[in-house]
Amino acid sequence: MASDTLDKLVVFLAKRDGIDKLVKTFQYVAKLACWHVEATRPEAADRFKKWEVASGLSRKAFRTGRSLTGFNALRRNPGATPVIRLLAVLANSGEMVYFFFDHFLWLSRIGSLDAKLAKKMSFISAFGESFGYTFFIIIDCIFIRQRLDSLKKLRYPSDETKDEINAKISEIRGDIVMRLMGISANIADLIIALAEIQPNPFCNHTVTLGISGLVSAWAGWYRNWPTS
């Protein structure tokens, strides 16, 4: 199927994933650094806090238009089975809500919209994020189970050559690792979203947020790093 304008736009926007993960690393390193020095070096803590806030706002700007990604994924590859199609609709719908309202959160925080809207936009965006990522985790778990079943079947005697079987095993293992990285990133982002939806001592602790942010960022680095 030939690529159309929406396909090309989504590919164009996706090229920013790498810098998004880099800036996300800056954001959560700054958060942890601020927490570490706030009691002893308030001036340094203030600088780290500004770095964290600037990084967060920059990432929201980078993500402009990302709400189209989920829509295009459903349009082009809705899923092979009814169950996967339903889960994909739920997952991508949540992610679309997350990115769409994140645009308004960004505009309210930079002053283009009423600052009073920020709290409501943040809640709606975080709710969409947590909803969508829950179903993305379920989808990845289903595919990992299927890939493990495929791996077991390949280990039985077959008409294929040893090299062909090893190539398929390598491909399946690579896909499983990528999906495990996706689950790690989504769980980490889910914790960050829950801190906004339902504040609690664990999710809202600076160390929890900082480590979750870095896990998400570094899992994204692994998944998006170009291969030869």
Side-chain angles (χ1 to χ4, degrees):
M1 185 181 294
S3 298
D4 61 14
T5 302
L6 184 56
D7 288 315
K8 293 176 181 177
L9 178 60
V10 168
V11 171
F12 170 77
L13 293 171
K15 291 180 179 178
R16 293 175 294 180
D17 279 352
I19 195 168
D20 177 68
K21 301 311 176 189
L22 175 63
V23 179
K24 188 172 189 176
T25 301
F26 293 158
Q27 179 183 358
Y28 286 97
V29 166
K31 176 180 279 294
L32 289 172
C34 176
W35 170 78
H36 181 66
V37 302
E38 62 183 349
T40 56
R41 300 177 60 192
E43 290 186 5
D46 182 61
R47 292 178 185 274
F48 283 126
K49 185 64 179 177
K50 289 176 179 177
W51 187 18
E52 176 197 347
V53 172
S55 297
L57 291 175
S58 297
R59 291 184 60 233
K60 293 183 187 305
F62 294 149
R63 294 197 296 260
T64 301
R66 280 291 300 276
S67 54
L68 294 173
T69 304
F71 173 75
N72 201 51
L74 292 174
R75 188 175 70 105
R76 286 296 188 183
N77 187 23
T81 66
V83 171
I84 294 298
R85 282 195 288 271
L86 174 60
L87 292 173
V89 167
L90 294 171
N92 284 284
S93 296
E95 189 179 59
M96 283 189 282
V97 169
Y98 161 45
F99 284 125
F100 182 77
F101 284 94
D102 200 48
H103 302 332
F104 294 102
L105 173 59
W106 169 56
L107 291 172
S108 63
R109 284 186 173 168
I110 64 174
S112 295
L113 294 178
D114 190 343
K116 295 178 181 178
L117 291 172
K119 187 172 181 60
K120 182 180 290 186
M121 295 300 102
S122 181
F123 180 87
I124 297 173
S125 178
F127 183 83
E129 180 181 19
S130 60
F131 182 87
Y133 287 173
T134 297
F135 289 103
F136 276 125
I137 291 168
I138 294 172
I139 291 171
D140 278 331
C141 287
I142 290 172
F143 278 115
I144 286 174
R145 183 176 179 179
Q146 291 176 351
R147 299 299 265 172
L148 288 172
D149 288 341
S150 298
L151 200 57
K152 290 177 183 177
K153 292 176 183 177
L154 283 174
R155 288 175 177 171
Y156 290 115
S158 70
D159 295 330
E160 296 179 294
T161 66
K162 184 178 179 179
D163 288 341
E164 289 174 336
I165 292 175
N166 287 337
K168 288 184 177 180
I169 289 174
S170 179
E171 180 187 352
I172 291 171
R173 285 176 175 171
D175 183 63
I176 290 172
V177 170
M178 285 296 186
R179 292 191 182 278
L180 287 173
M181 290 296 104
I183 290 172
S184 300
N186 287 334
I187 290 175
D189 285 331
L190 186 58
I191 291 172
I192 295 171
L194 288 174
E196 178 63 34
I197 299 169
Q198 189 64 49
N200 61 84
F202 174 73
C203 290
N204 289 79
H205 195 284
T206 303
V207 174
T208 303
L209 291 172
I211 292 175
S212 297
L214 291 177
V215 167
S216 174
W218 293 341
W221 276 71
Y222 185 89
R223 297 176 72 197
N224 290 285
W225 193 257
T227 56
S228 57

